[in-house]
Amino acid sequence: MLPLTILALATAFPGVPSRAVTDLALAQASVSGAAQADLARARELSEALRYEEAVVEYQRYLGHPDRPSAERAQALLEFGFIHLLLDDPVNAEQRTTEALELDSWVRPPADAPQKQKDLVERVRAALAARPRLEVLPRENASRPQLVRATLKDPRGRASEVLLRHAPAPGGPYRATPMVCEQDTCEGELPSPTRVATFTAWYFVEALDAQGNTVARAANPLAPLQLSVIERKPWYESPWVYAGGAALVVGAASVFFIASDPRK
């Protein structure tokens, strides 16, 4: 397996010296091996009914970054059941929720206790009923400040949808109500007075009747970003086309990525 890893890294980084590629591959293999050892230890302790010790090993495993999503989801599912056995239903549901959000296809083993199967199905049903917001791709070039989102709300929990926006990624964020028809909501980012070119950071939030947040698309720590140039979306601005296709691709990565102000 390691020679294939080295070959893949060498292909991905053709200008890097082979010794550096080999060292990188060995480091990755070491991290992977440690993570798998932690997970194996957690499962051994769980099978031995040493649940409190198993919790520590599952936490150690989950502290390893960049594990395959299917593997991590399965570990979270097992960890959730350990919490259930320790009479901690809150953390049991939280870990099971994280597992299903990471991999919706994750399942307990066929011979798993019915108690675990019931937990997974209960959380799965709760997730299916949860309101979901998603920002839609831009379609109307004549309205560059328009933000569209789709709301899936099976139980009708959301009473309003807000477009929260700010002139800087750190806020403060102001709220503009969005108009919703069926499951599509629209709102416009307000531009500063007498300014034709501006950048805004924003996210979309659904609230229930008591003002509680029930769904979000992006968030204040990782908002979406939009630049409007001369009252036009960036892709209609003459200076973008002046640089050719390469500049168009580059601009796309600048203006429409989700940005994290902490970085």
Side-chain angles (χ1 to χ4, degrees), residues 247-262:
L247 183 54
V248 172
V249 174
S253 67
V254 171
F255 294 129
F256 287 93
I257 58 172
S259 57
D260 188 341
R262 296 171 297 178

Side-chain angles (χ1 to χ4, degrees), residues 229 234-235 237-255:
I229 300 170
W234 69 270
Y235 47 82
S237 177
W239 69 264
V240 173
Y241 284 117
L247 183 54
V248 172
V249 174
S253 67
V254 171
F255 294 129

Side-chain angles (χ1 to χ4, degrees), residues 43 69-78 95-109 116-117 120-121 123-124 127:
R43 287 169 172 165
S69 58
E71 177 187 285
R72 190 178 183 88
Q74 189 62 50
L76 284 165
L77 206 66
E78 297 165 7
R95 293 302 189 179
T96 304
T97 298
E98 292 171 4
L100 291 171
E101 288 179 333
L102 189 61
D103 181 358
S104 62
W105 294 100
V106 69
R107 298 285 191 280
Q116 184 182 20
K117 294 179 180 178
V120 173
E121 292 310 309
V123 172
R124 194 185 303 280
L127 284 173

Side-chain angles (χ1 to χ4, degrees), residues 141 144 196 227-238:
S227 288
V228 175
I229 300 170
E230 297 299 332
R231 302 288 185 186
K232 297 179 181 180
W234 69 270
Y235 47 82
E236 286 191 351
S237 177

